[in-house]
Amino acid sequence: MTKHIFITGGVVSSLGKGLTAASVALLLSRRGYRVRLQKLDPYLNVDPGTMSPYQHGEVYVTTDGAETDLDLGHYERFTGIDCFQDSNYTTGRIYSSVISRERKGEYLGKTVQVIPHITDEIKSAIRSLDADDVDIVITEIGGTVGDIESLPFLEAIRQYRQEIGKENGLFIHVTLVPYLKAARELKTKPSQQSVGILRTIGIIPDILVCRCERDLTKEHRDKLALFCNVARDLVIEEKDVDHSIYEVPVDLAKQDVDVYILELLKLHVDRLDLDDWHQMLDRLISPPNGEVEIAVVGKYIGLQDSYKSIYEALTHGGIANGVKVKIRMVESEDIEKSGAKELLSGVAGVLVPGGFGHRGIEGKVAAVQYARESSIPYFGICLGMQCAVMEFARNVCGKERANSAEFDADTEFPVIALMDEQKKITDMGGTMRLGGYACKLADGSISRSVYGKSEVSERHRHRYEFNNEYRDEFTEKGMVFAGLSPDGHLVEIVENAGHPWFVACQFHPEFQSTPLEAHPLFKGFVAAAMKTCSKTPGDEVDS
């Protein structure tokens, strides 16, 4: 039988349940077990695809085209295990399924209720990951205990654990042990109350993971064990790490979390192999090649999670090149006010990520122009690629009013236009070009060189594309179409002939980068930035 681990959170949100789930999955997989991960989110949206990054952070896209919670990015980066459509369910998706079945008469005239119909649907979602090639499923419950919207999910996992038996399922509760500076002490009461709420639902945590700023003392552990009804050895400290989130699995391993989990699930404890992970951390914490500063020019800079995968992929590129990547976060609207030179001067590379809507677009275009004219390495992703095309049209091809049809439907030069298959679509959710698609790389291009292969598959999330009416003209002016769809119709990557490193792609390479294997484009971009940085000799760069 597939074993199940359920991870809940209490006291406050943003405790790091996703990082805990990813870390546990890494440890278990490194002990030889086949693991799958899943996130259940209690909001009513069917998926986060139509939500503002300021509301939800980035939307993470899986290979099979699911728009999902950003925690799935942690899952994939830590473990290298792919997530899919069944890796993220929301209240909206659960209710949509139940209501659809009710409309079809599948409940045979019964009154449809939260219990058992909604909880049964949630259990079916959990069960969807059970398979012969899966040993352990880790399911994270979004939100915090006590939230009204979380109750059906908590009831469902309570029932699920009862059905499969204690040896086949366990509960991990992530909670906060805050430090009060005025009192100069850690407080366990919030965690006691959080666990108390769980117990009223019928869930008693097997393991308590305590987020804290300071070390837990013996007194704290004893008190938490006593009042939360958890074995003292299973009160786990998850202290804020010093350098990187990638230290979390190591800290948990030192406390034998994975050993306790396997023993509770009656599974054999094999050797833990984290040698490559430790080597990666050593290179991350003490980079041999100094520091390089790269600007990320975005529309949602105010929220760190808006570009979570971008920031992590830049870190991965730094690890691969043995350099620390210092990120200068720049609001594109600020460039519109102060100018690109004012805000980008001194950086060794410029990255413009994706986004939607007209706000801040001219600032992004100005950032592209600055990088192109200053011969600074440029990396454009999705909208960053489209802005590169707009800038090239205006300032190289002389089409001053060139624009994307997304921002100006009446533009004289729509160098970016709506994809043909998108023209008759009216629904917003889940209707873009989503998921993995093949891309053929042109011989002699930068992209072909950094990938080291002629064809790749990358994940997409967009409605607009390069307008092929301008392809010949752009080629004459020096734009290189370095990546195309297999049929040659869709432009996937553009480069700028004569520029030391100017690559812009329509897809999202950040979703396939990990700390152990940086994405080739991020690795190449950081390497190129190092060559422009006076602090780092060019001959130390591994391109």
Side-chain angles (χ1 to χ4, degrees):
M1 177 180 288
T2 301
K3 309 284 186 174
H4 286 265
I5 299 171
F6 300 102
I7 297 181
T8 58
V11 185
V12 295
S13 59
S14 301
L15 277 180
K17 296 191 304 297
L19 290 174
T20 302
S23 298
V24 169
L26 171 65
L27 297 178
L28 295 177
S29 65
R30 290 306 183 92
R31 287 194 184 270
Y33 288 94
R34 299 166 298 179
V35 182
R36 288 283 304 277
L37 294 110
Q38 181 183 61
K39 176 81 180 284
L40 303 181
D41 278 308
Y43 50 78
L44 281 170
N45 305 66
V46 173
D47 59 45
T50 59
M51 297 168 67
S52 165
Y54 284 125
Q55 286 279 315
H56 189 266
E58 74 172 7
V59 174
Y60 189 81
V61 179
T62 60
T63 299
D64 63 346
E67 293 178 288
T68 70
D69 185 82
L70 62 83
D71 276 329
L72 273 69
H74 293 312
Y75 301 166
E76 291 197 352
R77 282 189 289 272
F78 275 63
T79 67
I81 300 169
D82 285 341
C83 293
F84 302 98
Q85 295 276 350
D86 56 7
S87 300
N88 194 197
Y89 284 84
T90 67
T91 295
R93 185 174 172 187
I94 294 293
Y95 271 78
S96 293
S97 178
V98 170
I99 291 171
S100 175
R101 290 166 62 186
E102 185 274 334
R103 291 290 82 189
K104 295 176 182 177
E106 294 185 19
Y107 294 108
L108 302 177
K110 295 178 181 178
T111 301
V112 180
Q113 298 175 294
V114 173
I115 301 174
H117 301 100
I118 296 299
T119 51
D120 282 352
E121 191 70 20
I122 295 170
K123 288 188 289 184
S124 178
I126 296 169
R127 199 174 293 112
S128 69
L129 270 67
D130 286 6
D132 292 339
D133 61 348
V134 178
D135 299 314
I136 302 170
V137 172
I138 300 175
T139 300
E140 174 194 350
I141 310 299
T144 59
V145 299
D147 295 341
I148 293 174
E149 57 265 32
S150 296
L151 290 175
F153 291 98
L154 296 174
E155 171 61 18
I157 64 173
R158 183 199 68 79
Q159 293 179 18
Y160 202 94
R161 155 75 172 265
Q162 186 177 28
E163 292 169 5
I164 64 176
K166 194 171 183 179
E167 292 184 357
N168 295 313
L170 64 83
F171 297 116
I172 297 176
H173 188 56
V174 182
T175 185
L176 178 67
V177 181
Y179 177 77
L180 298 185
K181 291 183 180 179
R184 296 182 180 179
E185 61 179 334
L186 292 166
K187 290 294 184 180
T188 63
K189 188 64 71 176
S191 296
Q192 295 176 40
Q193 293 177 339
S194 176
V195 172
I197 295 172
L198 270 181
R199 291 168 69 178
T200 64
I201 297 169
I203 295 174
I204 299 177
D206 299 289
I207 298 175
L208 197 64
V209 175
C210 302
R211 284 298 312 279
C212 51
E213 297 178 38
R214 308 291 180 94
D215 293 326
L216 294 177
T217 65
K218 179 180 181 300
E219 179 186 0
H220 294 130
R221 292 177 184 272
D222 289 343
K223 186 180 291 186
L224 286 165
L226 177 64
F227 289 103
C228 297
N229 198 30
V230 176
R232 187 185 180 282
D233 288 343
L234 301 182
V235 177
I236 306 299
E237 177 184 285
E238 195 171 63
K239 188 180 173 184
D240 293 350
V241 293
D242 295 326
H243 303 283
S244 167
I245 57 174
Y246 302 121
E247 296 175 82
V248 175
V250 175
D251 287 351
L252 293 179
K254 289 177 181 177
Q255 300 175 74
D256 289 330
V257 172
D258 50 329
V259 175
Y260 291 128
I261 289 172
L262 293 173
E263 289 177 345
L264 287 169
L265 294 175
K266 306 299 181 184
L267 293 172
H268 188 267
V269 180
D270 293 317
R271 177 181 175 272
L272 177 63
D273 182 6
L274 286 179
D275 290 346
D276 58 347
W277 199 264
H278 285 290
Q279 292 169 11
M280 176 272 294
L281 280 176
D282 289 342
R283 199 168 173 84
L284 170 62
I285 295 169
S286 302
N289 296 326
E291 180 180 280
V292 61
E293 186 177 22
I294 290 173
V296 175
V297 182
K299 299 174 57 172
Y300 316 110
I301 292 295
L303 182 65
Q304 176 82 11
D305 283 347
S306 295
Y307 299 114
K308 186 63 178 175
S309 292
I310 293 287
Y311 298 148
E312 291 304 311
L314 283 171
T315 297
H316 305 160
I319 294 170
N321 286 286
V323 67
K324 178 182 178 181
V325 176
K326 179 181 179 182
I327 299 174
R328 184 187 299 185
M329 302 177 187
V330 181
E331 283 281 0
S332 56
E333 286 182 290
D334 290 343
I335 290 181
E336 295 174 358
K337 300 171 187 175
S338 304
K341 185 176 181 180
E342 176 74 19
L343 296 176
L344 300 178
S345 179
V347 299
V350 174
L351 188 153
V352 176
F356 296 91
H358 186 271
R359 181 181 63 81
I361 290 300
E362 294 306 318
K364 289 193 172 193
V365 172
V368 177
Q369 183 178 4
Y370 176 82
R372 182 180 60 80
E373 294 179 347
S374 302
S375 294
I376 295 172
Y378 174 77
F379 191 8
I381 295 175
C382 198
L383 181 57
M385 178 266 210
Q386 296 176 2
C387 288
V389 169
M390 291 160 55
E391 190 278 330
F392 191 87
R394 294 175 185 180
N395 300 313
V396 178
C397 299
K399 303 179 186 301
E400 295 181 6
R401 288 178 289 181
N403 213 326
S404 166
E406 179 183 2
F407 313 130
D408 182 2
D410 300 319
T411 179
E412 183 180 359
F413 306 110
V415 291
I416 301 296
L418 190 65
M419 301 178 71
D420 290 339
E421 59 265 36
Q422 292 287 322
K423 291 180 179 178
K424 295 182 180 180
I425 294 175
T426 56
D427 288 351
M428 296 295 291
T431 56
M432 289 183 281
R433 188 180 192 225
L434 294 166
Y437 289 88
C439 170
K440 288 191 173 183
L441 305 174
D443 290 340
S445 64
I446 295 174
S447 301
R448 176 71 173 80
S449 175
V450 297
Y451 273 108
K453 59 179 72 172
S454 60
E455 184 170 327
V456 296
S457 178
E458 295 284 358
R459 302 180 194 182
H460 293 67
R461 184 176 182 251
H462 65 104
R463 297 183 191 280
Y464 290 79
E465 63 171 328
F466 180 86
N467 189 340
N468 286 322
E469 292 182 13
Y470 298 92
R471 195 184 292 190
D472 291 342
E473 182 180 355
F474 278 37
T475 299
E476 292 176 4
K477 294 292 186 178
M479 178 166 279
V480 177
F481 295 96
L484 301 174
S485 58
D487 62 5
H489 179 70
L490 299 178
V491 173
E492 300 280 22
I493 306 174
V494 298
E495 298 178 3
N496 205 314
H499 192 282
W501 208 96
F502 190 106
V503 178
C505 55
Q506 184 60 73
F507 47 79
H508 289 267
E510 68 272 22
F511 293 150
Q512 297 198 86
S513 186
T514 75
L516 295 177
E517 189 173 352
H519 189 282
L521 289 178
F522 279 91
K523 181 180 178 181
F525 175 54
V526 172
M530 291 171 69
K531 290 180 179 178
T532 68
C533 182
S534 59
K535 295 180 182 180
T536 306
D539 59 1
E540 293 183 9
V541 178
D542 176 16
S543 59

